[in-house]
Structure formats: C-alpha cells, structure tokens
Amino acid sequence: MSPSPARAPSGLPPFEHVVREHGSRILAICRSRVDAADVDDAWSETFLAALSAWPDLPDDLDVAAWLATVARRKCIDVHRARARRRTDPVAELPEIATQDAAGEDEGVWRHVASLPTRQRQVITYRYLGGLSHARIADLVGGTEAAVRRAASDGLKALRQKEIR
C-alpha cells in the first residue's frame, strides 16, 4: 500500500495524486461507456470537471465514488454530443483505427461491451472502478441485491463467451 499523500489545506489530497491514483479506473469506466474514439475525451472532461470542483469539495468525500459519478455524467455528455453531430446519415461508415493500450485485454473489453447495459455498468463499476455494491446501486438505480445479481449474470455470460 502506498503511503498516504500529504493533505492540502482543504483536507483532500493534492489533485495530481488523485489523477495518478484514480486515472486508470476512470479510464476503464469511460471505455465501458463510450466508443473507443471518444474515450480520451470523456476521461479528460471528467478530470477537468473534477479539477474545477476540487477546491469546494467536502473533506469526507468518497473520491472514487464521486469521480465515477462525474465520469458517468461526462460519458452521457459525450453520447449527447455525438447524437447532435449525427444529423446527416452517410452511405458508408469510415473505418476507424482504434488503439487498445491493454493489448491482451482487447477480447475482454469486446465481451464486456457486448453485455446488456446494466450488467456492463455493474461489472465496470465493481471490478474496474472498485466501488461497493451499495454505491453502484446508487449510481445505476435498484437495490444491492439487484446489483449483485447483474454482476453475477454478467460474469456468467463473460465466462460462457470465453469458453466459445
């Protein structure tokens, strides 16, 4: 376990530490919620919004859960912006080259992306975001039992896809 960062006068750790500590989790959340071409934008927008709100946040804030909520909302914003840009249909879609920094995880991401929305969200928040079942229930709606069930069903579906 890494040593606790020095606290700023507000009682929260310095923002740079927060980006280092939570950046990969937020990237995973963004990857699960938006197209590959929009992941970097969603991640950047999440941390820009977080930085501007940082000085006014309470000392007892659950930073991981709060950042997950900000990321979820920024991903929604990305979807809305993309929908506004889709006014003229095209006859043929261009090929988009994607970069997957995790290389070997490409198959896992593809399988997670193919899950129903609720299962995908729960698995992402739980296993990539490290959030509790209670916090996930707050984010996606429903009860802790429903969240546990969605995670179980999603993992079961992933295992079946892995076998094939």
Side-chain angles (χ1 to χ4, degrees), residues 1-2 8 28 31 35 70 97-98 104 121-122 146:
M1 184 171 198
S2 63
R31 279 181 161 175
D35 294 333
V70 173
T98 60
E104 61 195 41
Q121 290 173 346
V122 169

Side-chain angles (χ1 to χ4, degrees), residues 24-121:
S24 60
R25 287 185 189 153
I26 299 306
L27 183 63
I29 289 170
C30 292
R31 279 181 161 175
S32 74
R33 299 186 67 96
V34 298
D35 294 333
D38 296 322
V39 170
D40 289 338
D41 289 339
W43 186 90
S44 297
E45 289 296 323
T46 297
F47 282 104
L48 284 173
L51 178 61
S52 56
W54 195 249
D56 301 323
L57 295 174
D59 293 347
D60 61 345
L61 177 74
D62 180 350
V63 175
W66 177 73
L67 282 172
T69 301
V70 173
R72 180 176 62 95
R73 291 179 180 157
K74 290 301 174 182
C75 289
I76 290 169
D77 291 347
V78 166
H79 285 291
R80 287 179 181 152
R82 183 169 282 269
R84 284 191 297 269
R85 290 190 304 259
R86 284 191 200 142
T87 55
D88 297 325
V90 294
E92 190 174 321
L93 294 176
E95 287 190 35
I96 299 173
T98 60
Q99 287 183 318
D100 189 355
E104 61 195 41
D105 292 338
E106 182 178 333
V108 172
W109 283 108
R110 187 173 31 252
H111 290 316
V112 169
S114 71
L115 290 173
T117 301
R118 187 173 184 82
Q119 291 174 5
R120 183 179 68 247
Q121 290 173 346

Side-chain angles (χ1 to χ4, degrees), residues 103-158:
E104 61 195 41
D105 292 338
E106 182 178 333
V108 172
W109 283 108
R110 187 173 31 252
H111 290 316
V112 169
S114 71
L115 290 173
T117 301
R118 187 173 184 82
Q119 291 174 5
R120 183 179 68 247
Q121 290 173 346
V122 169
I123 286 174
T124 302
Y125 286 139
R126 179 70 180 150
Y127 297 101
L128 300 176
L131 300 181
S132 69
H133 290 106
R135 184 65 184 129
I136 296 168
D138 290 342
L139 289 171
V140 301
T143 64
E144 283 185 59
V147 165
R148 282 189 173 91
R149 180 60 191 219
S152 174
D153 291 347
L155 290 173
K156 187 176 185 181
L158 288 174

